[in-house]
Amino acid sequence: MRTRDWPIRSKLTALVVAPVTALLALWIFATTLTFGPALGLLSARTLLYDLGRPGEVVVTELQRERRLSVVQLAGTTRLPVLAEQRARTDRAVAELRRRVDGEALRDAADDPLEARIDHLVSALAALPAGRQFIDDRSLDRSGAIGLYSGMVTAAFQAFSAMATLDDPDLNRQALALTALGRSRELLGQSDALVTGALSAGRFAEGEHTQLVQAIGNQRWLTENAVADLPEAGRVAYQRLTEGEAFTRLRTMQDALVLANRSGRPPVDAAAWQASHDTVQQQLRDFELAEADGLTDRSVPMAVRILVRLAAAGVLGLVAVVVSVLVALRLGRTLVQRLSGVRTAALELAEHRLPDVVTRLRRGEQVDVAREAPPLEYGHDEIGEVGRAFTEVQRTAVQAAVDEVTLRRGLNEVFLNIARRSQSLVHRQLHLLDRMERRAEDPDELAELFQVDHLATRLRRHAEDLVILAGSAPGRGWRNPVAIVDLVRGAISEVEAYDRVDITATQPAGVLGRAVGDVIHLLAELVENATAFSPPDTRVTITGEQVANGYALEVTDQGLGMSAAALEAANTRLASSPEFDPAQSARLGLFVVARLAARHGVRVELRPSEQGGVIAVVLIPADLVTAEPPPGPDPATPVAASADPARRLARTARRGTVSRTRPPTASRAVTAPPAGAPTPGGVTVDAGSTVDEELDGLPRRVRRRTPVAQPRSTVTDTPAPRSPEEVRRVMAALQAGTARGRATVTTPPAPTTPAVPADRAAPAGTAGPATTPEPPTATERDA
């Protein structure tokens, strides 16, 4: 039995129940031991009146019938008085059987007494058969004496079993009375032998010896029995033996002892009979009187025992009840106090501390003293545990406050660094864009494109820091953007953009407020797909309208992920957990989870049939719109209203699905004659056309470098200025600074510069056979 894992309530209950149960068992045992003697004393009266008195009557009648039966056997005729005696004996036996069969006697008798009562009843059942033998003279005088003596002996054995009182004096007196009864029975046996010998005229063989033995045993039993009687009983018996009948009987017994064994008894029959009957009656009256006195003394004694038992029982029961109440009260108090400490601990661990951390992360102020109130549980050991736990609470809450403060500070540091990096990257992208516009050498332009692409990826990584710090990136769109442009923008932010295929996408658009985050989310998934798949494999992207929104699938052909890894990744993507620096190898999943949670986008990773992984992105229906028309708004000048969606990725590669355009959305201009330079200084082949915008995505095409023009020489010597001119310049500088500050306070929607004519792609270059080029800053800074 492992009690170590028991609840404290069970332990205290066991601790209380064990001693209380032992005390209760001891009280029951002591009560039973005391109650037994009282019941024995009270049952003595029942035994006396239901067994002792009827049994004594049966013994007396049997003794008389025995003497008459011996007289009949000594003579030759039947005695009429014997028949009358047999009737009186039968009535006495019937009364004894009625009393013996009663419930009162059976309840008061113990097992040994019941066995002797049964033996007595069985011996009396043989009386009719013995009478028949006597009537048929099948028995001699000795046999008849033995028949009746056996029945009388069975009665006295039952009387001896009654003497089982717990009081030593009363029990010794009861045994003495039983011994006096036995001595009186031996006197009766002597009477039967003498009467038979007187009737026959002489002793039969062996009768004299039996007579001598009976007289000797009778005197011995009488002497021992009288010695156990109380003082009053001995005095009364002594007075009884000094009577004339006792003296005369003793004299005749002495003469019989000395008589001839085969001659006639030397006593007068009438004198013997008179003396014997008188002594028998006196002895019987003495025994009955002493038995009544014994019963009368046992009842008050039993009452006193019961009174003491009741007092002890009540006091013991009160002690048990008080012990139980005290134990229960103390146990309940201990359980309540310990349960209070346990509840406080669980409340802190499961509710209060997480709530404090949550509130701290929301930016709320937390009072440590209020969140960790002192636990008052007294001044004992439990109270000390409560006070120690109070300190633990305060330390835990303070540690949570410090940790959240530290995390908030680290997030601010990360955010500050990320914002600085973003600013620098944006400036770098604008600088690259200007350099690309001025570049004339194709090789130099290609290298600028590569630097532009690296800067775009660097911007995305800087935005990762902003997202992990809990803030939002700075990029945003005012108008919806087509799905295909959004996917191309995501591809353009990946290093291995030339390995990504857009196989099929149904026309749709995404609201401008979610475009930047969805592009970033798709870029992270596409980059994972390219990074964890062999470099000679392709990554495909498909999109279609579904019932709950728009679903995009990014499929790679890599090694895939185990079922446990997929489950863990999906759990992280669905719950958007707090960023854990220990899981730095999974930054992409943290970023995707944050971005998805911000707009209600669902992301799930599934195993691919080809062995890789399929990343399913479900954009909710409230973010999905109809596909916007490509190109600038006709009502707005191109240079002033260039939509940021037009500045998304222009990475078109083999196998890329081109976006369909309505006939009115495309504006083609006729190319100048062959060999004639364009307004941007680009020479165009004969028969070609220049399209300002292909599928809404401008493209750069390498051109031959024009003839270098000599640059004009500019002198660096400043011209002198008048004070009025200096004042006008400073006033203009101050006005421009004020306008710039006002613009920063209320920033306008992001816009992109218009695509210059020299960046327009020739017609027909957007097909599958076009060689992909890296994206530029103009394509990335959206």
Side-chain angles (χ1 to χ4, degrees):
M1 182 173 60
R2 294 178 56 86
T3 59
R4 183 176 181 179
D5 299 331
W6 286 11
I8 190 64
R9 186 181 297 274
S10 300
K11 293 180 180 179
L12 291 177
T13 301
L15 187 63
V16 170
V17 167
V20 170
T21 302
L23 181 61
L24 183 61
L26 183 62
W27 174 76
I28 294 174
F29 179 72
T31 303
T32 304
L33 288 181
T34 309
F35 193 64
L39 290 179
L41 292 175
L42 291 176
S43 64
R45 191 178 186 88
T46 302
L47 295 177
L48 176 63
Y49 288 101
D50 289 347
L51 180 60
R53 289 293 178 85
E56 192 274 333
V57 173
V58 170
V59 169
T60 301
E61 297 300 332
L62 286 175
Q63 289 173 348
R64 292 174 181 174
E65 184 178 343
R66 178 180 57 191
R67 182 166 60 84
L68 293 175
S69 298
V70 171
V71 171
Q72 178 174 310
L73 289 174
T76 57
T77 59
R78 291 189 175 186
L79 299 176
V81 68
L82 178 58
E84 296 176 0
Q85 180 58 42
R86 286 178 176 177
R88 289 193 295 271
T89 303
D90 290 339
R91 288 194 294 271
V93 171
E95 178 64 19
L96 176 62
R97 286 178 176 173
R98 186 182 69 81
R99 294 292 185 90
V100 166
D101 293 336
E103 294 183 0
L105 178 61
R106 293 292 180 177
D107 293 339
D110 54 6
D111 293 339
L113 180 58
E114 286 188 0
R116 295 191 180 186
I117 291 174
D118 294 338
H119 177 65
L120 172 61
V121 172
S122 300
L124 293 175
L127 182 59
R131 289 173 178 174
Q132 186 64 38
F133 289 145
I134 292 173
D135 292 340
D136 295 341
R137 296 186 180 274
S138 299
L139 293 176
D140 55 4
R141 297 197 301 270
S142 298
I145 292 174
L147 174 65
Y148 287 98
S149 298
M151 299 177 187
V152 174
T153 301
F156 278 104
Q157 289 177 351
F159 296 159
S160 298
M162 290 170 53
T164 56
L165 303 176
D166 294 308
D167 187 80
D169 296 335
L170 295 179
N171 193 61
R172 184 169 58 252
Q173 186 176 353
L175 292 176
L177 292 177
T178 303
L180 285 177
R182 288 180 179 272
S183 68
R184 189 164 57 86
E185 160 60 15
L186 292 174
L187 182 60
Q189 292 180 13
S190 301
D191 175 59
L193 289 171
V194 172
T195 302
L198 290 173
S199 298
R202 65 180 183 85
F203 286 109
E205 184 179 358
E207 287 184 346
H208 184 269
T209 303
Q210 293 181 8
L211 176 61
V212 173
Q213 291 176 352
I215 292 173
N217 291 334
Q218 181 260 331
R219 291 180 177 179
W220 182 80
L221 283 177
T222 300
E223 183 179 357
N224 290 333
V226 171
D228 291 333
L229 291 176
E231 183 65 25
R234 289 197 299 271
V235 173
Y237 188 81
Q238 185 64 29
R239 191 181 307 113
L240 184 65
T241 56
E242 292 176 354
E244 181 181 357
F246 268 89
T247 303
R248 188 168 53 250
L249 182 62
R250 180 175 290 275
T251 302
M252 286 187 286
Q253 286 178 341
D254 293 339
L256 289 172
V257 170
L258 299 175
N260 188 2
R261 296 183 177 182
S262 58
R264 182 181 176 82
V267 295
D268 181 62
W272 171 263
Q273 189 65 42
S275 299
H276 175 268
D277 292 343
T278 301
V279 171
Q280 275 282 5
Q281 188 61 41
Q282 289 178 353
L283 289 176
R284 183 186 178 193
D285 294 340
F286 176 79
E287 292 174 11
L288 293 177
E290 290 295 324
D292 291 339
L294 178 64
T295 304
D296 293 339
R297 288 195 302 274
S298 64
V299 172
M301 186 174 295
V303 172
R304 288 194 299 271
I305 293 176
L306 289 177
V307 170
R308 292 197 300 269
L309 174 64
V314 170
L315 292 177
L317 184 59
V318 168
V320 171
V321 171
V322 170
S323 300
V324 171
L325 293 178
V326 171
L328 290 178
R329 182 176 179 82
L330 292 177
R332 186 181 297 109
T333 302
L334 289 175
V335 169
Q336 290 176 352
R337 296 172 66 190
L338 292 175
S339 298
V341 175
R342 172 181 175 272
T343 303
L346 293 179
E347 178 70 19
L348 174 66
E350 297 178 358
H351 302 287
R352 187 177 300 168
L353 194 57
D355 181 65
V356 168
V357 174
T358 303
R359 289 162 54 192
L360 288 171
R361 289 174 179 172
R362 290 200 302 262
E364 300 180 11
Q365 295 296 327
V366 174
D367 186 3
V368 178
R370 181 179 179 183
E371 296 299 331
L375 302 179
E376 297 295 339
Y377 292 99
H379 300 283
D380 57 355
E381 288 80 358
I382 298 179
E384 293 177 358
V385 172
R387 287 189 293 274
F389 188 73
T390 300
E391 296 299 325
V392 172
Q393 287 189 102
R394 292 177 179 175
T395 303
V397 174
Q398 186 63 47
V401 172
D402 296 340
E403 180 184 356
V404 172
T405 304
L406 178 60
R407 284 199 174 193
R408 188 182 302 163
L410 289 177
N411 287 342
E412 293 294 335
V413 171
F414 291 157
L415 185 60
N416 190 11
I417 295 175
R419 292 299 188 191
R420 293 182 181 183
S421 300
Q422 274 189 313
S423 176
L424 294 176
V425 170
H426 279 294
R427 292 170 59 185
Q428 181 181 6
L429 287 174
H430 286 294
L431 178 61
L432 288 172
D433 186 62
R434 291 194 301 270
M435 294 176 64
E436 290 169 3
R437 292 177 185 275
R438 294 195 301 265
E440 302 295 345
D441 186 4
D443 296 331
E444 181 183 355
L445 186 61
E447 292 177 355
L448 288 176
F449 284 166
Q450 293 178 2
V451 175
D452 191 322
H453 184 54
L454 292 175
T456 303
R457 291 171 55 202
L458 181 61
R459 180 184 60 186
R460 179 166 59 86
H461 293 317
E463 290 180 353
D464 287 346
L465 285 178
V466 175
I467 295 171
L468 293 177
S471 184
R475 290 192 295 171
W477 277 259
R478 183 171 57 246
N479 298 323
V481 176
I483 290 290
V484 63
D485 293 338
L486 187 145
V487 173
R488 289 173 179 174
I491 295 174
S492 68
E493 297 188 2
V494 178
E495 180 179 7
Y497 61 89
D498 56 340
R499 291 176 47 204
V500 184
D501 296 332
I502 305 176
T503 58
T505 55
Q506 293 183 356
V510 177
L511 295 180
R513 59 184 172 88
V515 169
D517 291 341
V518 175
I519 290 176
H520 196 145
L521 184 150
L522 287 175
E524 293 290 345
L525 295 177
V526 172
E527 186 168 37
N528 282 345
T530 58
F532 293 99
S533 61
D536 58 343
T537 60
R538 312 297 299 176
V539 176
T540 60
I541 301 178
T542 60
E544 61 177 347
Q545 289 274 4
V546 294
N548 298 328
Y550 196 93
L552 291 168
E553 292 186 359
V554 180
T555 306
D556 63 61
Q557 301 178 16
L559 298 177
M561 300 172 65
S562 63
L566 282 175
E567 183 179 1
N570 287 327
T571 301
R572 182 175 300 171
L573 291 172
S575 60
S576 181
E578 187 71 19
F579 173 64
D580 185 5
Q583 301 290 334
S584 58
R586 296 288 186 266
L587 290 180
L589 293 180
F590 280 108
V591 173
V592 171
R594 289 283 182 87
L595 295 174
R598 183 176 300 166
H599 298 285
V601 178
R602 293 175 54 189
V603 181
E604 182 180 0
L605 302 182
R606 300 175 182 174
S608 174
E609 296 180 356
Q610 300 176 358
V613 175
I614 300 176
V616 181
V617 179
L618 179 61
I619 303 174
D622 57 348
L623 298 179
V624 180
T625 63
E627 183 180 53
D633 188 357
T636 307
V638 175
S641 64
D643 194 336
R646 298 179 54 195
R647 304 180 62 192
L648 294 174
R650 288 179 283 177
T651 306
R653 44 174 321 285
R654 296 183 185 276
T656 301
V657 177
S658 62
R659 176 182 172 190
T660 59
R661 294 174 59 92
T664 60
S666 178
R667 295 186 300 166
V669 296
T670 304
T678 62
V682 180
T683 303
V684 183
D685 295 336
S688 64
T689 61
V690 177
D691 196 352
E692 288 184 349
E693 184 177 323
L694 179 63
D695 289 344
L697 301 176
R699 295 178 60 83
R700 292 191 180 91
V701 180
R702 293 187 179 183
R703 297 179 297 275
R704 287 175 296 180
T705 305
V707 179
Q709 299 292 336
R711 297 183 180 181
S712 60
T713 303
V714 180
T715 60
D716 294 334
T717 303
R721 297 181 181 181
S722 63
E724 290 78 8
E725 185 179 359
V726 172
R727 182 176 56 82
R728 286 195 303 269
V729 171
M730 296 304 295
L733 178 61
Q734 184 178 6
T737 302
R739 286 194 301 273
R741 290 178 179 176
T743 303
V744 172
T745 304
T746 57
T751 59
T752 58
V755 181
D758 62 345
R759 301 290 180 93
T765 60
T770 304
T771 303
E773 293 291 344
T776 64
T778 305
E779 302 163 347
R780 300 296 187 175
D781 63 354

